[in-house]
Amino acid sequence: LVRLYSAYVDLHFAYLEINPLVVLDDGSIHYLDMAAKLDQTAESICGPKWAPLPTGSKVNADRGPPMAWPAPFGRDLTKAEAYIQKLDTSTGASLKLTVLNPTGRVCTMVAGDDASVVYSDAIAPAGFADELANYGEYSGAPSEGQTFEYVKTILDLLTRPPPCPDGKILIIGGGIANFTNVAATFKGIIRALTTYKTQLIAHKAEIYVRRGGLNWQEGLKAMRLLGESLGVPIHVFGPDTHITEIVPLALGLKSTTSTTAPISMPATAPGSPKISPATPEPGASDPNDVVVGFDSVSAKGSRPAYRPFNEDTRSFVYGLQPRAIQGMLDFDYSCKRARPSVAAMIYPFGGHHIQKFYWGTRETLIPVYTSLSEAVKKHPDVDVVVNFASSRSVYSSTMECLGYESIKAIALIAEGVPEQQAREILWKAQEKGVLIIGPATVGGIKPGCFRIGNSGGMMDNIIASKLYHPGSVGYVSKSGGMSNELNNILSLVTDGTYEGIAIGGDRYPCSTFIDYLRYEADPACKMLVLLSEVGGVEEYRVIEAVKSGAIKKPIVAWVIGTCASMFTTEVQFGHAGSMANSDSETADVKNKAMREAGFIVPATFEELPQALKDTYESLVNRGVIQPIGEVEPPVIPMDYKWAQELGLIRKPAAFISTISDERGQELLYAGMRISDVFREDIGFGGVVSLLWFKRRLPSWATKFIEMVLMLTADHGPAVSGAMNTIVATRAGKYLISSLASGLLTIGSRFGGALDEAASMFSGARDMGLTPREFVDNSRKANKLISGIGHKIKSLVKEYVRKNFPSHSLLDYALAVEKVTTSKKDTLILNVDGCIAVCFVDLLRNSGAFTPEEADEYIKIGTLNGLSVLGRSIGFIGHHLDQKRLRAPLYRHPADDIFINIADLSQPRVLGKMQ
């Protein structure tokens, strides 16, 4: 049993059940049946140990093929699910899809993990569980291309079955985004909808959109304008509409929360916010100062245990996260804090340095340390760490933080932390008395005081949700995205948020709902909100606290995931912990238990705002809450980059590039996807044609380019370029320096005569000169004909005559050769000359270029480019050869140098010793 437990721990099992386990009279133990589940997040730690060895392998080490994770229990992945799964693994964003009913007429495309669940919660109980075609979510700021591919898959699912008389419904929903640019992702959605225009019209589709977050005005305006041209009804709603209020509208049901239906935004809805003048800096020593400094201030005494964050809280940010830090400083400035909440960054992979951040209209400097120990020593007032370390390194960095007595709270942002490591962190934190938020959390926010990372979203959402001053409502949520919705709702129906924490949705969060019993002890917090999800039993500890009288303040609560029991297939919701393993973990049972214990639990999530409003107004009427007047926040200047993205300003580009683009999901060469480059096997010559000429050349032309590169690759070690490369290499230089040394010798005398040869031969022929006239004129001008002399490779000449549609300039050059060889037999058309005239024939006769374009390519150095590219292959070969031979420093023998210093009969005397 001890060995079994050791294997359980070592292999990171998340679950292991043996039933029955039999012990015989002789003491031997036998396992008759077993069920086990591995923690997939630990694959980076012990993946090789999990993988079975190939049959018949003689290797004893734990090494084998990667673990193949099964599809949901009882079925295989559909083609659409497999495609989205593959797309998800290739991006840092999150893309999920589960097909519930391939013939369903209601499809959802929801941004955010828990947001996707609340939409399903609204659809399924309304009697449309059998009509719901899919469950899924997209989040984490997917690119336009990734969003396009995801939406295409959803639309294919919606329009593949035959049309139905009642039409199809597409719900494009989502919470208020933290940092996803809504307008940017909507570009991908608009592209996909336009692509499926005909199918959507044929299926009588109707689209309902609700979204909030970064640049939502522009995104929704674009969707509304699309509706006018697409021929498909599109109804658009912003964050002032409750997140799921569009569901009854889409399904043709009566709203349970409002007597008046929300109004769809018109096409002329307001766009992005206009630029406002910035508020002057308070207390600046000199209005002309660009960089603001802050004096070191000692902490103002200890804070009570129920209030871990206040207006003096200072933090370290572990990881290089300039965007999150700037967001924290902007929040600090809007709250009129005396100094920034971020004292320093910890980044072990870079040297000590300083980074600049904005503080209002000015800048401030924040140090970056390579070690936590140095940061703690220099900033003893810091007691919070915001840890952005990845899931692979968050364990070690957090355990290091727990070794310092001054650290009292740590937020773990990383998702996918192995469960065993999360439990070890939790045990150590409890031993040290340290508050851990996360893992898999966006953080938390204390309005008017302190913001953890990206919580609260962009500054326009911070201002809209009035998070720059404290309210009276404290909440705890498992979801970061839904916490933004709570902030928005609370700003609309109460005096706002007092403190909000997203504890994270992993199976083993390091702090749970009961840990925020401290809200009960905080006199400034008047009411509580608990937003949970299906899975886990932590809510029952809060229920016991309410029953025992430990919590007396009113709690408004809701558990999302009520739709789970209505699905016929296993669905893993967004968070790792969002799955019920027993009836007591289901959303319905937990909501019922909380309601019976005295919690204020609405009948549906749609009724949550009204429940909050009623509870708040009751406390106001009883005098428990005394609303205060609104405070005007200082204006935060808009960043240049963001203003440019919103279209509020413009700036000319410093560079223009027309040959390649790597910004999308796939690299493009002159508009051709790199996957098509390989699939169509255009070869290296085809790549050169795309990047040099921005077009596909015929196969005979690309083959010629490849032949030229092979022919010019190397002409032996004695030529000047190869010799320079060899000498530099033997002097100890690295590849780039040695290659550059060789390339710098290329010119009209060596390897660089192609451009000049092409110009001379084509110019003479265009002027109508006969070959003899061309030779005679050159001789009279005392000018050598480039491309004449040395050797010729007949292979090129034969290939051109056989494959080129026309080779008139080659014929002309060969006629010139007859004239020159009649004078001296070594004056033949050499390699450079032959390549040059053949390439001119290619440019002029391939049909891919106009005469003007062909002449321009000759003038701008294209032909010499072939020589440089080809010669580089050989120069690199010589460099590697010398390194491989370990050749010593080269010194040219003195007897090979003729030194002639003339005698000076009358030397000049520059000075004379006395």
Side-chain angles (χ1 to χ4, degrees), residues 200-271:
L200 290 170
I201 293 174
H203 284 260
K204 295 189 291 185
E206 198 161 352
I207 302 172
Y208 288 79
V209 183
R210 189 272 184 186
R211 195 71 165 100
L214 187 60
N215 205 11
W216 65 270
Q217 298 98 331
E218 294 296 330
L220 297 188
K221 181 179 178 181
M223 290 294 293
R224 183 66 184 87
L225 290 171
L226 175 69
E228 296 183 354
S229 60
L230 191 66
V232 176
I234 300 180
H235 312 275
V236 181
F237 305 88
D240 52 335
T241 300
H242 182 58
I243 182 171
T244 55
E245 198 167 345
I246 64 172
V247 172
L249 293 175
L251 302 180
L253 306 174
K254 183 178 180 181
S255 174
T256 60
T257 61
S258 176
T259 56
T260 58
I263 301 173
S264 178
M265 293 173 53
T268 55

Coordinates of all heavy atoms in Angstrom, one line a residue, residues 200-271:
L200 N -26.5 31.4 -44.4 CA -27.3 32.0 -43.3 C -28.6 32.5 -43.8 O -29.7 32.3 -43.1 CB -26.5 33.1 -42.7 CG -25.2 32.7 -41.9 CD1 -24.4 34.0 -41.6 CD2 -25.6 32.0 -40.6
I201 N -28.7 33.0 -45.0 CA -30.0 33.5 -45.5 C -30.9 32.3 -45.8 O -32.1 32.3 -45.5 CB -29.7 34.3 -46.8 CG1 -29.0 35.7 -46.4 CG2 -31.0 34.6 -47.5 CD1 -28.6 36.5 -47.6
A202 N -30.3 31.3 -46.4 CA -31.1 30.1 -46.7 C -31.7 29.4 -45.5 O -32.8 28.8 -45.5 CB -30.2 29.1 -47.5
H203 N -31.0 29.5 -44.4 CA -31.4 28.9 -43.1 C -32.3 29.8 -42.3 O -32.6 29.5 -41.1 CB -30.3 28.4 -42.3 CG -29.7 27.1 -42.8 ND1 -30.0 25.8 -42.3 CD2 -28.8 26.8 -43.9 CE1 -29.3 24.9 -43.0 NE2 -28.6 25.5 -43.9
K204 N -32.6 31.0 -42.8 CA -33.3 32.0 -42.1 C -32.7 32.3 -40.7 O -33.4 32.3 -39.7 CB -34.8 31.6 -42.0 CG -35.5 31.6 -43.3 CD -37.0 31.3 -43.2 CE -37.3 30.0 -42.6 NZ -38.8 29.7 -42.6
A205 N -31.4 32.5 -40.7 CA -30.7 32.7 -39.4 C -31.0 34.1 -38.9 O -31.2 35.0 -39.6 CB -29.2 32.4 -39.6
E206 N -30.9 34.2 -37.5 CA -31.1 35.5 -36.9 C -30.0 35.5 -35.8 O -29.7 34.5 -35.1 CB -32.4 35.6 -36.2 CG -32.8 37.0 -35.9 CD -34.3 37.2 -35.7 OE1 -35.1 36.3 -36.0 OE2 -34.7 38.3 -35.2
I207 N -29.3 36.6 -35.7 CA -28.1 36.7 -34.8 C -28.3 37.7 -33.7 O -28.8 38.9 -34.0 CB -26.9 37.1 -35.7 CG1 -26.6 36.1 -36.8 CG2 -25.6 37.2 -34.8 CD1 -25.6 36.5 -37.8
Y208 N -28.0 37.4 -32.5 CA -28.1 38.3 -31.3 C -26.7 38.4 -30.7 O -26.0 37.4 -30.5 CB -29.0 37.7 -30.3 CG -30.5 37.8 -30.7 CD1 -31.0 36.9 -31.6 CD2 -31.3 38.9 -30.3 CE1 -32.4 37.0 -32.0 CE2 -32.6 39.0 -30.7 CZ -33.1 38.0 -31.6 OH -34.4 38.2 -32.0
V209 N -26.3 39.7 -30.5 CA -24.9 40.0 -30.1 C -25.0 40.8 -28.8 O -25.7 41.7 -28.7 CB -24.1 40.8 -31.1 CG1 -22.7 41.0 -30.7 CG2 -24.1 40.0 -32.5
R210 N -24.2 40.3 -27.8 CA -24.0 41.1 -26.6 C -22.5 41.0 -26.2 O -22.0 39.9 -26.0 CB -24.9 40.7 -25.5 CG -24.9 41.6 -24.2 CD -23.8 41.3 -23.2 NE -23.9 42.1 -22.0 CZ -23.0 42.1 -21.0 NH1 -21.9 41.3 -21.1 NH2 -23.1 42.9 -20.0
R211 N -21.9 42.2 -26.0 CA -20.4 42.1 -25.6 C -20.0 43.4 -24.9 O -20.7 44.5 -25.1 CB -19.6 42.0 -26.9 CG -18.1 41.5 -26.6 CD -18.0 40.1 -26.2 NE -16.7 39.6 -26.3 CZ -15.8 39.6 -25.3 NH1 -16.2 39.9 -24.0 NH2 -14.6 39.1 -25.4
G212 N -19.0 43.4 -24.1 CA -18.4 44.5 -23.5 C -16.9 44.3 -23.4 O -16.4 43.3 -23.6
G213 N -16.3 45.4 -23.0 CA -14.8 45.3 -22.8 C -14.1 46.3 -23.7 O -14.7 47.3 -24.2
L214 N -12.9 46.0 -24.0 CA -12.0 46.8 -24.7 C -12.5 47.1 -26.1 O -12.7 46.2 -26.9 CB -10.6 46.2 -24.8 CG -9.4 46.9 -25.3 CD1 -9.1 48.2 -24.5 CD2 -8.2 46.0 -25.3
N215 N -12.7 48.4 -26.4 CA -13.1 48.9 -27.7 C -14.5 48.2 -28.2 O -14.7 48.0 -29.4 CB -12.0 48.6 -28.8 CG -12.1 49.5 -30.0 OD1 -12.8 50.5 -30.0 ND2 -11.3 49.1 -31.0
W216 N -15.4 48.0 -27.2 CA -16.6 47.4 -27.6 C -17.5 48.2 -28.5 O -18.3 47.7 -29.3 CB -17.4 47.0 -26.3 CG -17.9 48.1 -25.5 CD1 -17.2 48.8 -24.5 CD2 -19.1 48.8 -25.6 NE1 -17.9 49.8 -23.9 CE2 -19.1 49.9 -24.6 CE3 -20.2 48.7 -26.4 CZ2 -20.2 50.7 -24.4 CZ3 -21.3 49.6 -26.2 CH2 -21.3 50.6 -25.3
Q217 N -17.4 49.6 -28.3 CA -18.2 50.4 -29.1 C -18.0 50.2 -30.6 O -18.9 50.1 -31.4 CB -18.0 51.9 -28.8 CG -18.3 52.3 -27.4 CD -17.1 52.3 -26.5 OE1 -16.1 51.5 -26.7 NE2 -17.1 53.1 -25.4
E218 N -16.7 50.2 -31.0 CA -16.4 50.0 -32.4 C -16.8 48.6 -32.9 O -17.3 48.5 -34.0 CB -14.9 50.2 -32.6 CG -14.4 51.7 -32.4 CD -15.0 52.7 -33.4 OE1 -15.3 52.3 -34.5 OE2 -15.2 53.8 -33.0
G219 N -16.5 47.6 -32.1 CA -16.9 46.2 -32.5 C -18.4 46.1 -32.7 O -18.8 45.5 -33.7
L220 N -19.2 46.6 -31.8 CA -20.6 46.4 -31.9 C -21.2 47.3 -33.1 O -22.1 46.9 -33.7 CB -21.3 46.7 -30.6 CG -21.0 45.8 -29.4 CD1 -21.9 46.1 -28.2 CD2 -21.1 44.4 -29.8
K221 N -20.6 48.4 -33.3 CA -21.0 49.3 -34.4 C -20.8 48.6 -35.7 O -21.6 48.6 -36.6 CB -20.3 50.6 -34.3 CG -20.7 51.6 -35.4 CD -19.9 52.9 -35.3 CE -20.2 53.9 -36.4 NZ -19.5 55.1 -36.3
A222 N -19.6 47.9 -35.8 CA -19.3 47.2 -37.1 C -20.3 46.0 -37.3 O -20.7 45.7 -38.4 CB -17.9 46.6 -37.0
M223 N -20.7 45.3 -36.2 CA -21.6 44.2 -36.3 C -23.0 44.8 -36.8 O -23.7 44.2 -37.6 CB -21.8 43.5 -35.0 CG -20.5 42.7 -34.6 SD -20.3 41.3 -35.7 CE -21.7 40.3 -35.4
R224 N -23.4 45.9 -36.2 CA -24.7 46.5 -36.6 C -24.7 46.9 -38.0 O -25.7 46.7 -38.8 CB -25.0 47.7 -35.7 CG -26.4 48.3 -35.9 CD -27.5 47.4 -35.5 NE -28.8 47.9 -35.9 CZ -29.4 47.8 -37.0 NH1 -28.8 47.1 -38.0 NH2 -30.6 48.3 -37.3
L225 N -23.6 47.5 -38.5 CA -23.5 47.9 -39.9 C -23.5 46.6 -40.8 O -24.1 46.7 -41.9 CB -22.3 48.7 -40.1 CG -22.3 50.1 -39.5 CD1 -20.9 50.8 -39.6 CD2 -23.3 51.0 -40.2
L226 N -22.9 45.6 -40.4 CA -22.9 44.3 -41.1 C -24.3 43.8 -41.3 O -24.7 43.3 -42.4 CB -22.1 43.3 -40.4 CG -22.1 41.9 -41.1 CD1 -21.3 41.9 -42.4 CD2 -21.4 40.9 -40.1
G227 N -25.1 44.0 -40.3 CA -26.5 43.5 -40.4 C -27.3 44.2 -41.5 O -28.2 43.6 -42.1
E228 N -27.0 45.4 -41.8 CA -27.7 46.2 -42.8 C -27.3 45.7 -44.2 O -28.1 45.9 -45.1 CB -27.4 47.7 -42.6 CG -27.9 48.2 -41.3 CD -27.7 49.7 -41.2 OE1 -27.1 50.3 -42.1 OE2 -28.2 50.3 -40.2
S229 N -26.1 45.1 -44.4 CA -25.7 44.7 -45.7 C -25.7 43.2 -45.9 O -25.7 42.7 -47.0 CB -24.3 45.2 -45.9 OG -23.4 44.7 -45.0
L230 N -25.7 42.4 -44.8 CA -25.6 41.0 -44.9 C -26.9 40.3 -45.4 O -26.9 39.3 -46.0 CB -25.2 40.4 -43.6 CG -24.7 39.0 -43.6 CD1 -23.5 38.8 -44.4 CD2 -24.5 38.5 -42.1
G231 N -28.0 41.0 -45.1 CA -29.3 40.3 -45.4 C -29.7 39.4 -44.3 O -30.7 38.6 -44.5
V232 N -29.1 39.4 -43.1 CA -29.4 38.6 -42.0 C -29.6 39.5 -40.8 O -28.8 40.4 -40.5 CB -28.2 37.6 -41.7 CG1 -28.5 36.8 -40.4 CG2 -28.0 36.7 -42.8
P233 N -30.8 39.3 -40.1 CA -31.0 40.2 -39.0 C -30.0 40.1 -37.9 O -29.7 38.9 -37.4 CB -32.4 39.7 -38.5 CG -33.0 39.0 -39.6 CD -31.9 38.4 -40.3
I234 N -29.4 41.2 -37.5 CA -28.4 41.1 -36.4 C -28.8 42.2 -35.3 O -28.9 43.4 -35.6 CB -27.0 41.5 -36.9 CG1 -26.5 40.5 -38.0 CG2 -26.0 41.5 -35.8 CD1 -25.1 40.7 -38.5
H235 N -29.0 41.7 -34.1 CA -29.4 42.5 -33.0 C -28.3 42.7 -32.0 O -27.7 41.7 -31.6 CB -30.6 41.9 -32.3 CG -31.7 41.5 -33.2 ND1 -32.7 42.4 -33.7 CD2 -32.0 40.3 -33.8 CE1 -33.5 41.7 -34.5 NE2 -33.1 40.5 -34.6
V236 N -27.9 44.0 -31.8 CA -26.7 44.2 -31.1 C -26.9 45.0 -29.7 O -27.7 45.9 -29.7 CB -25.7 45.1 -32.0 CG1 -24.4 45.4 -31.3 CG2 -25.5 44.4 -33.3
F237 N -26.3 44.5 -28.7 CA -26.4 45.1 -27.3 C -25.1 45.2 -26.7 O -24.2 44.4 -26.9 CB -27.4 44.2 -26.5 CG -28.7 43.9 -27.1 CD1 -28.9 42.8 -28.0 CD2 -29.8 44.7 -26.9 CE1 -30.1 42.6 -28.6 CE2 -31.0 44.5 -27.5 CZ -31.2 43.4 -28.3
G238 N -25.0 46.2 -25.8 CA -23.7 46.5 -25.1 C -23.8 46.1 -23.7 O -24.7 45.4 -23.2
P239 N -22.7 46.5 -22.9 CA -22.6 46.1 -21.5 C -23.7 46.7 -20.6 O -23.9 46.2 -19.4 CB -21.3 46.6 -21.1 CG -20.9 47.7 -22.0 CD -21.6 47.3 -23.3
D240 N -24.5 47.6 -21.1 CA -25.6 48.1 -20.2 C -26.8 47.2 -20.2 O -27.7 47.3 -19.4 CB -26.1 49.5 -20.8 CG -26.4 49.5 -22.3 OD1 -25.8 48.6 -23.0 OD2 -27.2 50.3 -22.7
T241 N -26.7 46.2 -21.1 CA -27.7 45.1 -21.1 C -27.1 43.9 -20.3 O -26.0 43.6 -20.5 CB -28.0 44.6 -22.6 OG1 -28.6 45.8 -23.3 CG2 -29.0 43.5 -22.6
H242 N -27.9 43.3 -19.5 CA -27.5 42.2 -18.7 C -26.9 41.1 -19.6 O -27.5 40.9 -20.7 CB -28.6 41.6 -17.8 CG -28.2 40.5 -16.9 ND1 -27.2 40.6 -16.0 CD2 -28.6 39.2 -16.8 CE1 -27.0 39.5 -15.3 NE2 -27.9 38.6 -15.8
I243 N -25.9 40.4 -19.1 CA -25.2 39.5 -20.0 C -26.0 38.5 -20.7 O -25.8 38.2 -21.9 CB -24.1 38.8 -19.1 CG1 -23.2 37.9 -20.0 CG2 -24.6 38.0 -18.0 CD1 -22.0 37.3 -19.3
T244 N -27.1 37.9 -20.1 CA -27.9 36.9 -20.8 C -29.3 37.4 -21.1 O -30.1 36.6 -21.4 CB -28.0 35.7 -19.9 OG1 -28.5 36.1 -18.6 CG2 -26.7 35.0 -19.7
E245 N -29.5 38.7 -21.1 CA -30.8 39.2 -21.3 C -31.2 39.1 -22.8 O -32.4 39.1 -23.2 CB -30.9 40.7 -20.9 CG -32.3 41.2 -20.8 CD -32.4 42.5 -20.1 OE1 -31.4 43.0 -19.5 OE2 -33.5 43.2 -20.1
I246 N -30.2 38.8 -23.7 CA -30.5 38.6 -25.1 C -31.1 37.2 -25.3 O -31.7 37.0 -26.4 CB -29.3 38.8 -26.0 CG1 -28.2 37.8 -25.7 CG2 -28.8 40.3 -25.8 CD1 -27.0 37.9 -26.7
V247 N -30.9 36.3 -24.4 CA -31.4 34.9 -24.6 C -32.9 34.8 -24.8 O -33.4 34.2 -25.8 CB -30.9 34.0 -23.5 CG1 -31.5 32.6 -23.6 CG2 -29.3 33.9 -23.5
P248 N -33.7 35.3 -23.9 CA -35.1 35.3 -24.1 C -35.6 36.0 -25.4 O -36.5 35.6 -26.0 CB -35.7 35.9 -22.8 CG -34.6 36.7 -22.2 CD -33.4 36.0 -22.5
L249 N -34.9 37.1 -25.7 CA -35.2 37.8 -27.0 C -34.9 36.9 -28.2 O -35.8 36.8 -29.1 CB -34.3 39.0 -27.1 CG -34.6 40.2 -26.1 CD1 -33.6 41.3 -26.3 CD2 -36.0 40.7 -26.2
A250 N -33.8 36.2 -28.1 CA -33.5 35.3 -29.3 C -34.4 34.1 -29.4 O -34.8 33.7 -30.5 CB -32.0 34.8 -29.1
L251 N -34.8 33.6 -28.2 CA -35.7 32.4 -28.2 C -37.2 32.7 -28.3 O -38.0 31.8 -28.3 CB -35.4 31.6 -26.9 CG -34.0 31.1 -26.7 CD1 -33.9 30.3 -25.4 CD2 -33.5 30.3 -27.9
G252 N -37.5 34.0 -28.4 CA -38.9 34.4 -28.5 C -39.7 34.2 -27.2 O -40.9 34.0 -27.2
L253 N -39.0 34.3 -26.0 CA -39.6 34.2 -24.7 C -39.8 35.5 -24.0 O -39.1 36.5 -24.4 CB -38.7 33.3 -23.8 CG -38.3 31.9 -24.4 CD1 -37.3 31.2 -23.5 CD2 -39.6 31.1 -24.6
K254 N -40.6 35.6 -23.0 CA -40.8 36.8 -22.3 C -39.7 36.9 -21.2 O -39.4 36.0 -20.5 CB -42.2 36.8 -21.6 CG -42.5 38.0 -20.8 CD -43.9 38.0 -20.2 CE -44.2 39.2 -19.4 NZ -45.5 39.2 -18.8
S255 N -39.1 38.1 -21.1 CA -38.1 38.4 -20.2 C -38.6 38.3 -18.8 O -39.7 38.7 -18.5 CB -37.4 39.7 -20.4 OG -36.5 40.0 -19.4
T256 N -37.8 37.6 -17.9 CA -38.2 37.5 -16.5 C -37.7 38.6 -15.6 O -37.9 38.7 -14.4 CB -37.7 36.2 -15.9 OG1 -36.3 36.1 -16.0 CG2 -38.3 35.0 -16.7
T257 N -36.9 39.5 -16.2 CA -36.2 40.5 -15.4 C -36.6 41.9 -15.8 O -36.3 42.9 -15.1 CB -34.7 40.4 -15.6 OG1 -34.3 40.6 -17.0 CG2 -34.2 39.0 -15.2
S258 N -37.3 42.1 -16.9 CA -37.5 43.5 -17.4 C -38.9 43.5 -18.1 O -39.2 42.6 -18.8 CB -36.4 44.0 -18.3 OG -36.7 45.3 -18.8
T259 N -39.6 44.6 -17.8 CA -40.9 44.8 -18.4 C -40.8 45.4 -19.8 O -41.6 45.2 -20.7 CB -41.8 45.7 -17.6 OG1 -41.1 46.9 -17.4 CG2 -42.1 45.0 -16.2
T260 N -39.6 46.0 -20.1 CA -39.3 46.6 -21.4 C -38.1 45.9 -22.0 O -37.1 45.7 -21.3 CB -39.1 48.1 -21.3 OG1 -37.9 48.3 -20.4 CG2 -40.3 48.8 -20.7
A261 N -38.3 45.5 -23.2 CA -37.2 44.8 -23.9 C -36.0 45.7 -24.1 O -36.2 46.9 -24.5 CB -37.7 44.1 -25.2
P262 N -34.8 45.3 -24.0 CA -33.6 46.1 -24.4 C -33.7 46.5 -25.8 O -34.1 45.7 -26.7 CB -32.4 45.2 -24.0 CG -32.9 43.8 -24.0 CD -34.4 43.9 -23.6
I263 N -33.1 47.6 -26.1 CA -33.2 48.1 -27.5 C -31.8 47.9 -28.2 O -30.8 48.2 -27.6 CB -33.5 49.7 -27.5 CG1 -34.8 49.9 -26.8 CG2 -33.5 50.2 -28.9 CD1 -35.2 51.4 -26.6
S264 N -31.9 47.3 -29.4 CA -30.7 47.1 -30.1 C -30.0 48.4 -30.5 O -30.7 49.3 -30.8 CB -31.0 46.2 -31.4 OG -29.8 46.0 -32.1
M265 N -28.7 48.4 -30.5 CA -27.9 49.6 -30.8 C -28.1 49.9 -32.3 O -28.0 49.0 -33.1 CB -26.4 49.4 -30.5 CG -26.1 49.2 -29.0 SD -24.3 48.8 -28.8 CE -23.5 50.1 -29.8
P266 N -28.3 51.2 -32.6 CA -28.4 51.6 -34.0 C -27.0 51.6 -34.6 O -26.0 51.6 -34.0 CB -29.0 53.0 -33.9 CG -28.5 53.5 -32.6 CD -28.5 52.3 -31.7
A267 N -27.0 51.7 -36.0 CA -25.7 51.7 -36.7 C -24.9 53.0 -36.4 O -23.7 53.0 -36.5 CB -26.0 51.6 -38.2
T268 N -25.6 54.0 -35.9 CA -24.9 55.3 -35.6 C -24.6 55.4 -34.2 O -24.4 56.5 -33.6 CB -25.8 56.4 -36.1 OG1 -27.1 56.3 -35.4 CG2 -26.0 56.5 -37.6
A269 N -24.5 54.3 -33.5 CA -24.2 54.3 -32.1 C -22.8 54.9 -31.9 O -22.0 54.9 -32.7 CB -24.2 52.9 -31.5
P270 N -22.6 55.5 -30.7 CA -21.3 56.2 -30.4 C -20.2 55.3 -30.6 O -20.2 54.1 -30.3 CB -21.5 56.6 -28.9 CG -22.9 56.6 -28.6 CD -23.5 55.6 -29.5
G271 N -19.1 55.8 -31.1 CA -17.9 55.0 -31.3 C -17.0 55.1 -30.1 O -17.5 55.2 -29.0

